[in-house]
Amino acid sequence: MKEDNAQPPIKLIDIDAYTPYKIATTIYDVTIHKAALNRSRTFSLGVLAGIYLGFGAQFSTLVTSDSTLHYGITSLIEGIVYSLGFILAVIGGAEVFTGNCLGIIGFAGKKITLYELLTNWGVIYIGNLVGSLTMVWWMYETHQWEFFNHMVGAKALLIAHNKVNLSFNAAFTRGVLCNALICLAIWICFSGKSTADKIFSIIFPIGGFVASGFEQCVSNMYFIPMGITLRENHFVVDAAEKMAGRALNLPLLTWKGFFINNLLPVTLGNIVGGVILIGIVFWFIYLRQRTKKAHMGGPVDYNK
């Protein structure tokens, strides 16, 4: 006999994701909240993000330093491992400049002024740089770069060398595609309802941009200064030349090469990828009518 007071089964795992419209409205509200944070808190969260992404960068350098697998497989492993940095940043609530390019949604919705948006970006960007350089100092002091007969340091040097030798066009376009994937990762994260959802949402978009050789300014704030720091160590240079199978010419691996040859075009590309390819497009699709109705004083359906 069926009991009248029988309870429905408990749903242990909820795999239902939020709708794209719900994701868009949530990100919209979050961008407004972030713009309202005071600068010291925003800066601190930016520093933490630089450190967190530095953890991912050094982890991926270590894991792939002596890989003899196919280039594609090695790159895939590097990307998946590097995702650690973004997992720490997203779950820990830190502020990454590239992901915050989605703040353009709040500006397009007329809830954030251009001054507020650019100030938010600038404070986070400087915080990311400070955190990344702090991580470079810590990692240098660990002497981890001496592991495996300086192969870890050699891998770091080769990564930095390759990045500063990109053409402006290559660095820019790789930056565009990189931040499209990063902002898509953030977008997917907002569809999830649990920490596990967010972690799985991060791995493949972030792993994909790393494996594809795309360029992110915040990652390079760790990778290139680490290479600059190690270029004066002849043991590291010798190991890098052995790893590369050729002599290395390192004239561009300088602070000028870092800022001008890489960071400038990559940052511009990241802004274009995050702002135009993702932020503006998704605002136009999901939030333009909401902005229009709110501006005209009409009713807005928040539960669409």
Side-chain angles (χ1 to χ4, degrees), residues 250-266:
L250 303 173
L252 295 180
L253 191 54
T254 61
W255 290 106
K256 180 180 178 181
F258 166 47
F259 286 109
I260 303 300
N261 289 34
N262 185 273
L263 201 59
L264 175 61
V266 169

Side-chain angles (χ1 to χ4, degrees), residues 171-191:
F172 175 80
T173 52
R174 293 186 190 192
V176 171
L177 297 175
C178 168
N179 208 25
L181 281 174
I182 290 174
C183 289
L184 284 170
I186 301 301
W187 179 272
I188 298 171
C189 276
F190 275 96
S191 74

Side-chain angles (χ1 to χ4, degrees), residues 143-205:
H143 288 262
Q144 186 206 56
W145 45 272
E146 296 178 349
F147 289 3
F148 313 130
N149 297 316
H150 296 87
M151 288 181 68
V152 173
K155 178 70 174 181
L157 183 67
L158 287 176
I159 291 172
H161 171 67
N162 291 335
K163 288 180 178 295
V164 296
N165 280 279
L166 291 172
S167 67
F168 187 98
N169 184 62
F172 175 80
T173 52
R174 293 186 190 192
V176 171
L177 297 175
C178 168
N179 208 25
L181 281 174
I182 290 174
C183 289
L184 284 170
I186 301 301
W187 179 272
I188 298 171
C189 276
F190 275 96
S191 74
K193 300 180 179 180
S194 69
T195 300
D197 292 338
K198 297 181 186 301
I199 290 173
F200 283 115
S201 298
I202 290 169
I203 291 175
F204 281 99

Side-chain angles (χ1 to χ4, degrees), residues 220-278:
N220 294 349
M221 290 174 183
Y222 172 86
F223 280 124
I224 298 176
M226 193 68 197
I228 293 171
T229 304
L230 295 174
R231 65 165 291 178
E232 301 301 326
N233 188 294
H234 70 90
F235 293 111
V236 173
V237 175
D238 290 345
E241 291 181 338
K242 182 179 179 181
M243 187 181 292
R246 58 184 173 84
L248 294 178
N249 192 11
L250 303 173
L252 295 180
L253 191 54
T254 61
W255 290 106
K256 180 180 178 181
F258 166 47
F259 286 109
I260 303 300
N261 289 34
N262 185 273
L263 201 59
L264 175 61
V266 169
T267 300
L268 293 175
N270 288 163
I271 292 172
V272 171
V275 169
I276 298 177
L277 294 190
I278 306 300

